[in-house]
Amino acid sequence: MAATPWESELTQALAARFGDEILEFSSYLGQEFLVARPAAVIPILEWLKTEAGFDYLVDITAVDYPARAERFELFYILYSFARNQRIRIKTNLPDGGRPATATGVHLTANWLEREVFDMFGIEFAGHPDLRRILMPEEWQGHPLRKDYSILTQDQAWVRENLGIESAQ
Amino acid sequence: MADPTFLDSTELVLNMGPQHPSTHGVLRVILKLDGEKVLGTECVIGYLHRGVEKIGENRTYQMFAPYVDRTDYVASVSNGLGYCLAVEKLLNVEAPPRAQAVRVILTELNRISSHLVWLGTHCLDIGAITPLFYTFREREMIMDIYEKYCGARLTTHAFRIGGLQYELYEGFEQECRDLCDWFLPRVDEYEQLLTGNRILVARMTNVGVLTAEDCKAYGVTGPMLRAAGVPWDLRKAQPYSGYEQYEFEIPTGKNGDTYDRYLVRMEEMRQSVRIIRQAADRIPDGPIMAKVPKVIKPPVGEVYVSIEAPKGELGYLIVSDGSTQPYRVRIRPPSFINLQSLDKMARGALVADIVAIIGTIDIVLGEVDR
Amino acid sequence: MRKLLRRIFLVDLVEGLLVTFRYQHPKYITTEQYPAERPKVAERYRGAPRLNNNPETGETLCIACNLCALACPETLIVVGSERNEQTRRKELTTFTYDTSRCMFCGLCEDACPVDALELTQDFELASYSREGAIWDREMLEDGPRPTKYKY
């Protein structure tokens, strides 16, 4: 990605506080983002909420890059009403990585993390109620992973619950 | 402690099932009740999950646009606008001014249309059946304009990446102006029917209160946030598609209860009429489509673009890997995130208030489940 | 005092009822009596697909370029063609269109370079079987023939 480096007083304050936990500050097409280590994400969210006024968590989502060693890239998008600014926090997780939950910092993260768990299989440590939200509870597999083909269907689920052989 | 008698209440778990006339779609709410008071709720969603985000990874950028309409099917033009703006940002092109003006007109008509559905169905749930017929009659006129412009009433696929596909038909501006002239007295009529009505006032005030701090904590946007007193609207804060040229106000409320949300949405309809009048008076001439290649292959990167949909902040995060198909399309659904606050608003309310609260969040299950 | 009178005499409810009673006049009827009167749809309406023929010669306008099949998000168009040895051009043999999966988005109509494939104003596409929804070339050229009810 043709990202350009991002420098501002916010990045300097973050770098001063977190040091090398933050791997890069970049900006692409005018949208700023930073890449951090997984363990530092929740402290960064807290610091941004209390010190910098980023009190609104817009979205939590993930992208699956199966070719990489750290397969999942987790996105947190934050917005500050006071500054009218939106930033993204990205972190890379391996398969089986368990990031800490953000529900202590932002209450929105409850359902958003449940959806990330449902679609990708990323478990969030400390989440009050981590279960599937969009798929049925007994579903096997995580649909938005790249190795889950768009034509896959859980044959066992169809056999048990509908009593027929799946027509695929 | 005395022995429990027949009159002592115990906790009752009641299922407001996926098939229910008041849940605006297939939403299942499990209520824990103590008599008539609600102790807690739990939403079970996913009945309309169609895997739109997975489909997005297997279609080209232009092919995915019709699928996006079907998430928030009541306000499908806004979805198309958000998606086209996101892909245009990835490609670093901007739609020409004529296309932007027409996009604003159609999107504001869409806002009126979505709020009319909200008004009709919300008041129907509360018990006033008549407004439903009147709002749907107005909606027919708006859908007639859509049909004449792009060919479909509900799932419009009106915009293309880079601008518009269809040139305006003869008399488009005049029809929009006529609609505005016809519509504004109708809003006054709805107010006459509903706003002073003591039944409505009794059922809506102090029901479903969500303060501004709660809204920010739960990530709630749109008319719910404005009714809590925060004058934040993405059309003013981070304008897109030429909104900075038009004058309009942001209605806010005071208490953050259902009645304030009702007033905010009614006033938003009036402000939308104001924007449409201004835009229809000065649609610039020029091309309707920017220079966009036939095969769209954006450079590698990711972008997040959000617009003010009628229900809240609708965002698209598109990750491109340089090929003709997006690598990941994430739709940030306002209804999904607003629905989380149902539990907070419902505690301590009565069962009849649950219906009013679900109606006031203004959810569309297509967007909640995608 | 005024507020008390308004409450006792149900003034706010009466105001609402005035609006409702005003609409009882027959000139406000907006119901269309379908199927006796069919609605007039717009010219650009995206309804049933149709394969156009050249009005003078009666031959098909389709040049079998397959652009519509490539543009369709649901890949439900199958264009069969064979090469005509004399004119060295492709000629259309079979054309299959699956209306049961079609979402009437109009991308095929936009893609056709010769305006052979067009989405018309027909919206009555029901059939009695699933196979009846898969249209072949003849059905596409003639159009669906819905039953017209006589009163």
Side-chain angles (χ1 to χ4, degrees):
Chain A
M1 160 156 67
T4 53
W6 168 39
E7 276 288 319
S8 79
E9 41 143 322
L10 183 65
T11 62
Q12 282 162 6
L14 276 166
R17 170 78 178 77
F18 291 99
D20 62 346
E21 303 268 341
I22 300 183
L23 302 169
E24 78 178 87
F25 291 99
S26 307
S27 142
Y28 181 63
L29 290 177
Q31 303 194 339
E32 289 107 12
F33 63 92
L34 58 93
V35 184
R37 287 188 208 283
V41 169
I42 303 300
I44 294 178
L45 287 176
E46 275 173 22
W47 188 89
L48 282 170
K49 182 176 175 186
T50 49
E51 304 290 330
F54 282 86
D55 46 0
Y56 164 34
L57 177 66
V58 176
D59 201 9
I60 304 179
T61 183
V63 187
D64 183 20
Y65 292 102
R68 297 187 191 170
E70 306 214 301
R71 154 179 207 186
F72 297 116
E73 191 173 28
L74 198 56
F75 280 69
Y76 293 81
I77 308 180
L78 294 168
Y79 177 82
S80 157
F81 285 100
R83 296 168 182 245
N84 194 8
Q85 190 186 3
R86 207 179 268 129
I87 61 173
R88 292 204 283 272
I89 302 177
K90 304 206 290 187
T91 178
N92 295 309
L93 299 167
D95 201 357
R98 300 189 79 219
T101 183
T103 43
V105 187
H106 296 274
L107 287 166
T108 328
N110 197 329
W111 279 20
L112 289 168
E113 287 178 353
R114 273 178 73 183
E115 190 187 339
V116 171
F117 165 67
D118 189 5
M119 293 287 128
F120 288 94
I122 301 176
E123 288 184 10
F124 286 87
H127 192 277
D129 184 22
L130 195 67
R131 4 172 217 134
R132 289 188 179 267
I133 189 167
L134 293 175
M135 308 301 289
E137 277 95 33
E138 316 85 34
W139 199 265
Q140 308 292 322
H142 295 280
L144 274 175
R145 292 188 174 196
K146 291 286 176 182
D147 46 7
Y148 193 98
S149 146
I150 196 169
L151 296 174
T152 307
Q153 190 174 323
D154 193 359
Q155 319 270 15
W157 189 92
V158 173
R159 210 175 292 128
E160 277 169 34
N161 289 286
L162 301 178
I164 51 173
E165 280 300 318
S166 171
Q168 287 195 357
Chain B
M1 178 119 89
D3 293 324
T5 67
F6 175 73
L7 288 176
D8 282 342
S9 55
T10 55
E11 208 177 80
L12 172 70
V13 173
L14 189 67
N15 179 38
M16 208 165 143
Q19 288 151 320
H20 191 282
S22 297
T23 53
H24 297 273
V26 276
L27 168 69
R28 180 176 172 212
V29 184
I30 303 179
L31 300 166
K32 274 211 287 289
L33 302 172
D34 168 25
E36 182 115 352
K37 226 162 58 119
V38 174
L39 297 174
T41 64
E42 189 194 317
C43 287
V44 179
I45 56 178
Y47 290 94
L48 198 49
H49 178 69
R50 294 156 289 180
V52 161
E53 300 182 358
K54 186 84 179 173
I55 292 179
E57 298 171 13
N58 290 287
R59 303 279 184 272
T60 64
Y61 287 89
Q62 295 105 320
M63 277 188 193
F64 187 57
Y67 289 94
V68 152
D69 284 347
R70 284 147 169 88
T71 54
D72 180 0
Y73 39 76
V74 167
S76 56
V77 176
S78 316
N79 298 23
L81 176 67
Y83 178 70
C84 289
L85 284 176
V87 180
E88 284 165 13
K89 187 146 176 101
L90 258 184
L91 291 171
N92 222 357
V93 301
E94 208 182 304
R98 185 176 169 85
Q100 284 186 357
V102 175
R103 277 178 174 183
V104 164
I105 295 180
L106 291 175
T107 312
E108 288 306 314
L109 280 174
N110 202 29
R111 192 178 307 272
I112 297 178
S113 166
S114 169
H115 284 333
L116 283 173
V117 171
W118 163 79
L119 183 65
T121 50
H122 188 211
C123 295
L124 178 71
D125 292 342
I126 289 190
I129 307 184
T130 322
L132 179 76
F133 302 122
Y134 299 156
T135 56
F136 272 68
R137 179 199 56 200
E138 259 67 84
R139 206 160 166 254
E140 281 299 311
M141 306 183 71
I142 298 180
M143 291 211 273
D144 274 342
I145 293 186
Y146 283 145
E147 192 187 327
K148 286 190 193 146
Y149 174 68
C150 59
R153 286 151 47 103
L154 195 67
T155 49
T156 42
H157 192 205
F159 306 139
R160 302 287 189 276
I161 297 171
L164 305 169
Q165 165 83 8
Y166 299 108
E167 189 47 73
L168 293 178
Y169 61 92
E170 277 291 317
F172 177 77
E173 294 97 339
Q174 191 50 41
E175 267 195 42
C176 289
R177 277 189 221 116
D178 289 343
L179 180 80
C180 294
D181 293 336
W182 159 259
F183 182 65
L184 220 40
R186 297 283 95 73
V187 181
D188 295 329
E189 224 175 64
Y190 303 146
E191 297 249 358
Q192 191 186 352
L193 267 175
L194 297 167
T195 305
N197 195 323
R198 67 183 73 182
I199 306 175
L200 214 81
V201 169
R203 277 203 76 166
M204 280 196 188
T205 45
N206 290 327
V207 164
V209 177
L210 203 62
T211 59
E213 282 71 40
D214 285 335
C215 282
K216 290 183 191 175
Y218 279 98
V220 168
T221 51
M224 295 182 76
L225 181 63
R226 291 197 274 282
V230 180
W232 185 72
D233 188 326
L234 265 172
R235 294 174 288 170
K236 289 255 193 212
Q238 300 187 340
Y240 49 89
S241 190
Y243 267 103
E244 57 271 1
Q245 310 163 22
Y246 308 114
E247 266 182 36
F248 59 100
E249 281 159 26
I250 307 176
T252 51
K254 285 195 291 294
N255 307 330
D257 61 2
T258 308
Y259 193 63
D260 275 349
R261 286 179 209 128
Y262 160 80
L263 291 173
V264 162
R265 287 191 175 110
M266 297 293 267
E267 188 56 36
E268 272 187 13
M269 285 202 270
R270 293 201 175 97
Q271 297 298 321
S272 286
V273 167
R274 207 169 143 192
I275 299 178
I276 297 175
R277 279 197 174 131
Q278 289 172 47
D281 280 338
R282 40 182 214 235
I283 302 182
D285 291 319
I288 51 172
M289 189 76 165
K291 277 213 165 325
V292 166
K294 252 205 162 3
V295 175
I296 294 187
K297 275 175 138 186
V300 175
E302 66 220 8
V303 77
Y304 175 80
V305 167
S306 62
I307 65 166
E308 181 77 24
K311 305 192 159 54
E313 175 182 343
L314 173 66
Y316 286 86
L317 174 79
I318 304 189
V319 177
S320 152
D321 61 346
S323 70
T324 52
Q325 298 182 341
Y327 193 73
R328 168 98 171 97
V329 178
R330 156 77 182 167
I331 305 175
R332 187 253 183 217
S335 303
F336 179 76
I337 296 179
N338 291 359
L339 190 58
Q340 257 195 89
S341 58
L342 176 68
D343 192 34
K344 177 82 172 53
M345 289 197 278
R347 294 202 176 212
L350 302 175
V351 172
D353 294 334
I354 297 287
V355 167
I357 296 173
I358 296 179
T360 188
I361 306 179
D362 194 11
I363 53 172
V364 169
L365 262 296
E367 195 170 49
V368 170
D369 292 339
R370 279 154 285 130
Chain C
M1 184 62 197
R2 198 158 159 252
K3 268 190 83 168
L4 182 64
L5 283 177
R6 275 181 76 96
R7 270 190 79 88
I8 295 177
F9 289 107
L10 304 175
V11 173
D12 44 344
L13 296 177
V14 167
E15 271 175 19
L17 280 175
L18 283 176
V19 174
T20 320
F21 280 128
R22 190 161 53 84
Y23 275 106
Q24 301 307 306
H25 193 284
K27 76 175 182 193
Y28 289 113
I29 291 180
T30 48
T31 313
E32 291 178 1
Q33 304 293 334
Y34 180 81
E37 42 174 89
R38 277 155 206 269
K40 293 186 199 29
V41 288
E43 191 196 322
R44 295 183 188 175
Y45 188 75
R46 304 200 291 251
R50 184 178 65 202
L51 208 53
N52 286 326
N53 289 335
N54 192 332
E56 289 131 32
T57 64
E59 281 178 8
T60 185
L61 280 172
C62 173
I63 54 173
C65 63
N66 215 26
L67 276 176
C68 55
L70 292 170
C72 178
E74 291 283 314
T75 54
L76 47 88
I77 302 181
V78 179
V79 181
S81 62
E82 61 180 17
R83 198 179 148 88
N84 184 333
E85 286 310 317
Q86 280 111 19
T87 61
R88 300 285 185 86
R89 295 243 174 94
K90 282 203 281 195
E91 264 180 26
L92 183 69
T93 52
T94 61
F95 193 103
T96 315
Y97 193 109
D98 187 358
T99 55
S100 66
R101 278 170 38 224
C102 177
M103 47 177 178
F104 301 100
C105 62
L107 281 172
C108 58
E109 177 187 38
D110 295 338
C112 182
V114 294
D115 283 341
L117 185 61
E118 196 187 317
L119 290 180
T120 58
Q121 282 108 337
D122 265 330
F123 50 87
E124 289 147 334
L125 307 178
S127 73
Y128 279 102
S129 65
R130 278 189 191 243
E131 291 78 24
I134 303 182
W135 291 6
D136 56 358
R137 181 179 167 176
E138 269 155 24
M139 184 84 172
L140 274 171
E141 284 175 3
D142 298 333
R145 294 184 192 291
T147 320
K148 290 221 184 321
Y149 291 98
K150 295 190 274 291
Y151 285 94

